[in-house]
């Protein structure tokens, strides 16, 4: 498993965003991600399903703050391809990953997972 978190930075939080911008309260989940990153937690926000539309630069101010605050952002390659975004410029430092890597993160006992 490829490690994209800095080692030794507990707690490690994996936040999974499956909703895009159309979801009315989806911004609250991303604001929580920003808060966790800004207080120093090691946070990875994984975009999947409709959430991958947020991988496009400028799509969400909360994600801009999340990345500037030290949060790690990743997106599902399959979901990007399904939505025609696999050839689109994506946010700087965003990692495109496959679900097998995500499964490894979810099964890691040192990782806390929240799926939205």
């Amino acid at each position: 498993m490829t490690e994209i978190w800095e080692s030794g930075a507990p707690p490690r939080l994996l936040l999974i965003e499956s909703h895009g911008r159309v979801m009315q309260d989806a911004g609250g989940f991303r604001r929580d991600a920003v808060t966790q990153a800004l207080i120093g937690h090691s946070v990875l926000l994984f975009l999947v399903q409709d959430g991958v539309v947020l991988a496009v630069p400028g799509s969400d101010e909360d994600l801009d703050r999340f990345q500037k605050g030290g949060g790690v952002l990743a997106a599902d390659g399959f979901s990007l391809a399904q939505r025609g975004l696999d050839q689109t410029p994506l946010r700087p430092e965003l990692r495109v990953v496959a679900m097998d890597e995500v499964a490894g993160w979810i099964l890691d006992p040192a990782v806390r997972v929240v799926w939205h």
Side-chain angles (χ1 to χ4, degrees):
M1 172 174 75
T2 304
E3 186 60 56
I4 67 175
W5 276 300
E6 293 179 26
S7 61
R12 295 185 337 169
L13 304 172
L14 171 59
L15 305 177
I16 301 174
E17 177 63 273
S18 61
H19 299 286
R21 295 193 52 80
V22 296
M23 178 81 176
Q24 186 174 8
D25 190 36
F29 184 74
R30 291 188 296 279
R31 284 190 295 278
D32 289 345
V34 172
T35 299
Q36 294 299 315
L38 291 176
I39 62 174
H41 290 170
S42 178
V43 184
L44 190 151
L45 180 61
F46 174 66
L47 306 174
V48 66
Q49 298 169 328
D50 290 338
V52 297
V53 299
L54 301 168
V56 176
S59 61
D60 188 85
E61 291 179 10
D62 288 322
L63 288 187
D64 296 340
R65 291 178 45 227
F66 174 75
Q67 287 185 287
K68 288 177 185 170
V72 176
L73 192 61
D76 174 45
F78 180 76
S79 295
L80 288 167
Q82 276 190 317
R83 287 149 184 84
L85 297 173
D86 53 333
Q87 301 301 316
T88 302
L90 301 175
R91 290 175 169 275
E93 300 180 29
L94 176 127
R95 286 265 321 269
V96 177
V97 297
M99 289 305 286
D100 60 339
E101 188 167 3
V102 178
W105 300 336
I106 291 171
L107 295 173
D108 184 333
V111 175
R112 291 187 286 170
V113 181
V114 179
W115 193 304
H116 180 248

